[in-house]
Amino acid sequence: MVMAGKIKFSFHHKVLISLLALCWALVTVFTIFQYHRERIFRTELMNMELQMHNDRIIDDMEKGEDIASVASRIRTPVSDLRITMIDRNGNVIYDNNDSTPFPETNHNNRPEVVKARQDGSGYSVGRHSQSDNTDYFYSATLMQDGSIVRSAAPYNHILRDFLKADSSFLWIMLAVTVAVSIAGYFIARRITTSISNLNSFAEKAEKGERIYEDWAFPHDELGNIAGNIVKLYVQRDQRHQEAIKQERDKIRLKKQLTNNINHELKTPVASIKICADLLRDHPELPDSKRIEFINRICTGTQRLTSMLEDVSSITRMDDGADVIEKERLNLRELIGNVADSERLRTDMDIHVDVPDIEIAGNRHLLESVFRNLIDNAIAYSGGSGIWIKADERGNFVFRDNGCGVPQEHLPHIFERFYRIDKGRSRSKGGTGLGLAIVKNAIAIHGGYIKASNDNGLRFDFRLS
């Protein structure tokens, strides 16, 4: 449970704060380290200078000179330099500071003296002198006889300023910190842009809003990954929408097919019922009328059979296009067989000019393609000839020399139950599904078909 008033940071702010905290911590640690190092360097430099002064005093004393005379003539850059000599027992045996009482305490416990007796030299910064109540920078050097020569520079503001680290370094580090903070802001924004955009994308996707592939992401690895995620989602969504559309179209077509079937069945069923009722209710009818009614029943039955076969074929293609069995077929042989059987029931000349073409196809569907095209030409073209031509790549031209089709009807002739002249089509026994079967069967075999008028009706299609 989130507490009331609790501040929530965005991912960008969290990354920025974390990055700045890390940078500032590193800069702070480096600054402290460098500042401390420079102070040590300056302290060592001051000690070195005083040690050199002590070494000159020791050299002169080893030549036999008295420390008082040596101290009186030595000039140093440090004003009010205090020189002290301590024997091996810790007693001060010389001090050039005449304005204060002579030190009488044991000095072997002084830090610089202890260090000098251990390592040969030592120093102490800002230690207070009880004899003159002043702070000094002490630097002690051990002599061969165990005595200590110690120089003491007054720890005044001049020396304090000298021992301090250069403040310009702090300003430089402050400028570096500001520069790092600005750079960190842009780096964090660049890093989090992809995450923020992905978050917006997820929110839109959750709400079902429209998402496009041209979502802006930085040109880096994270941006590429985010862009690919969006593209994959958009492509999946498009496929999903297309699948929904196809399913809706299939449902619509099935409803349309059902409605059309009901409509188309009414005429033959009504005719069959009327004829059957007459035969049942009027046994006294002459034989000629009885034969006429029986023929009408046979005609209606044949029409119903054809319609049910066509509906079965087109339904099978809609629902099972992916599972229709295929085999290697020679189209020249298949078309020749269909043409031979059709020649038996028409006076139209059927010309076939097809090379040896082998494809993987379903024999029943391919036979229905050419049989329906030929039946359509025989029933409606009013022409005298049919020509079927193809090249070796499977490009076909099917044409007749009949009356053709009015231009406004051409875009619709492959629709199910579409009729140019409904009365004339029914009188010819057509079901209105023949060209729809042709189109679907060709599509199942990876092809397409289009219709045009060329001194008759012409179909161009491809089978592969």
Side-chain angles (χ1 to χ4, degrees):
M1 181 177 179
V2 181
M3 295 179 60
K6 186 176 180 180
I7 299 176
K8 294 182 179 180
F9 292 101
S10 66
F11 182 74
H12 168 73
H13 289 147
K14 290 180 181 178
V15 172
L16 178 61
I17 292 173
S18 301
L19 186 61
L20 291 183
L22 177 61
C23 293
W24 290 348
L26 291 175
V27 170
T28 301
V29 171
F30 178 76
T31 301
I32 295 173
F33 170 77
Q34 190 64 23
Y35 186 81
H36 179 68
R37 184 178 179 183
E38 186 174 357
R39 288 197 62 182
I40 292 176
F41 171 75
R42 288 174 176 265
T43 301
E44 293 287 352
L45 188 64
M46 184 65 187
N47 178 60
M48 186 182 301
E49 184 175 347
L50 294 179
Q51 286 291 331
M52 291 174 63
H53 180 66
N54 292 345
D55 289 340
R56 288 197 300 271
I57 293 175
I58 293 173
D59 288 342
D60 290 341
M61 289 179 60
E62 289 178 349
K63 293 177 182 179
E65 294 189 43
D66 182 70
I67 186 173
S69 60
V70 173
S72 63
R73 62 182 176 80
I74 289 181
R75 299 292 181 268
T76 67
V78 180
S79 61
D80 300 328
L81 183 67
R82 185 176 178 182
I83 299 174
T84 307
M85 188 169 181
I86 304 168
D87 65 14
R88 60 189 310 137
N89 295 321
N91 299 314
V92 176
I93 58 178
Y94 174 78
D95 190 333
N96 69 341
N97 188 0
D98 298 332
S99 62
T100 61
F102 192 82
E104 296 180 356
T105 58
N106 190 297
H107 280 53
N108 275 343
N109 61 348
R110 302 293 192 267
E112 68 277 4
V113 175
V114 173
K115 189 67 174 176
R117 293 196 183 282
Q118 291 176 352
D119 303 330
S121 64
Y123 68 88
S124 178
V125 181
R127 188 174 62 78
H128 185 72
S129 174
Q130 296 179 355
S131 60
D132 61 0
N133 197 29
T134 304
D135 294 336
Y136 286 97
F137 183 107
Y138 292 99
S139 180
T141 305
L142 180 66
M143 297 179 62
Q144 291 183 356
D145 63 357
S147 300
I148 298 290
V149 174
R150 186 183 69 180
S151 297
Y155 198 67
N156 52 27
H157 68 279
I158 298 176
L159 183 57
R160 286 188 180 93
D161 292 341
F162 174 78
L163 294 180
K164 287 181 180 179
D166 189 0
S167 60
S168 62
F169 170 76
L170 297 178
W171 289 107
I172 292 173
M173 294 310 299
L174 179 61
V176 170
T177 303
V178 172
V180 168
S181 300
I182 295 174
Y185 170 78
F186 288 103
I187 292 173
R189 190 172 74 170
R190 183 176 182 85
I191 291 175
T192 57
T193 296
S194 298
I195 304 298
S196 299
N197 287 351
L198 270 180
N199 185 52
S200 299
F201 153 73
E203 291 177 354
K204 287 181 176 290
E206 184 178 6
K207 296 177 182 177
E209 297 180 7
R210 183 74 179 273
I211 296 175
Y212 300 92
E213 286 191 24
D214 56 349
W215 203 291
F217 288 99
H219 297 290
D220 53 25
E221 289 82 357
L222 185 58
N224 291 336
I225 293 173
N228 288 334
I229 291 174
V230 173
K231 287 181 180 178
L232 289 174
Y233 175 85
V234 172
Q235 292 172 2
R236 186 197 65 82
D237 186 61
Q238 289 175 346
R239 289 194 295 268
H240 179 66
Q241 295 298 330
E242 183 63 25
I244 292 176
K245 181 178 179 298
Q246 291 178 357
E247 186 64 25
R248 288 175 179 172
D249 290 343
K250 186 179 291 187
I251 294 173
R252 179 180 57 81
L253 288 174
K254 285 184 177 181
K255 288 182 179 179
Q256 182 182 1
L257 180 63
T258 302
N259 293 334
N260 289 335
I261 290 173
N262 290 335
H263 180 73
E264 293 293 330
L265 288 176
K266 288 180 180 178
T267 299
V269 169
S271 176
I272 293 172
K273 185 176 184 303
I274 290 172
C275 292
D277 288 343
L278 289 172
L279 290 174
R280 181 195 62 193
D281 297 336
H282 299 280
E284 73 281 1
L285 288 173
D287 291 341
S288 59
K289 283 293 183 180
R290 294 175 65 85
I291 293 173
E292 178 185 348
F293 291 148
I294 291 173
N295 288 335
R296 288 184 181 181
I297 291 174
C298 291
T299 300
T301 303
Q302 181 60 42
R303 185 178 175 189
L304 286 176
T305 302
S306 299
M307 182 178 293
L308 291 175
E309 289 177 352
D310 287 347
V311 169
S312 176
S313 296
I314 203 165
T315 302
R316 186 169 67 253
M317 285 188 285
D318 283 345
D319 295 338
D322 295 334
V323 296
I324 291 177
E325 295 183 359
K326 295 181 179 181
E327 58 181 308
R328 297 301 300 180
L329 298 172
N330 187 297
L331 291 182
R332 180 179 182 180
E333 177 184 347
L334 182 145
I335 297 169
N337 293 335
V338 173
D340 289 341
S341 65
E342 292 294 317
R343 288 189 183 102
L344 298 176
R345 67 183 194 88
T346 182
D347 294 332
M348 295 181 70
D349 295 327
I350 302 176
H351 307 277
V352 178
D353 183 11
V354 177
D356 283 325
I357 304 173
E358 285 196 359
I359 66 169
N362 181 275
R363 180 179 295 276
H364 173 73
L365 292 181
L366 290 175
E367 288 178 346
S368 70
V369 168
F370 295 97
R371 181 171 288 109
N372 277 296
L373 289 175
I374 294 173
D375 289 346
N376 188 75
I378 293 172
Y380 307 115
S381 71
S384 60
I386 297 173
W387 289 265
I388 306 174
K389 294 184 179 181
D391 59 24
E392 294 181 351
R393 293 178 296 179
N395 296 309
F396 283 82
V397 175
F398 182 100
R399 57 181 295 269
D400 59 55
N401 60 353
C403 60
V405 172
Q407 193 66 32
E408 66 270 19
H409 294 291
L410 278 176
H412 306 287
I413 62 175
F414 294 107
E415 296 176 7
R416 301 173 186 186
F417 296 106
Y418 186 82
R419 301 177 187 276
I420 298 173
D421 184 343
K422 296 183 179 180
R424 181 166 174 263
S425 297
R426 289 192 177 94
S427 67
K428 295 289 186 177
T431 63
L433 293 173
L435 293 183
I437 292 173
V438 169
K439 180 181 178 181
N440 284 358
I442 291 176
I444 287 174
H445 289 84
Y448 58 89
I449 186 170
K450 63 180 180 178
S452 61
N453 286 312
D454 181 15
N455 295 321
L457 186 58
R458 170 174 173 155
F459 296 93
D460 292 89
F461 59 94
R462 177 180 177 85
L463 294 172
S464 58

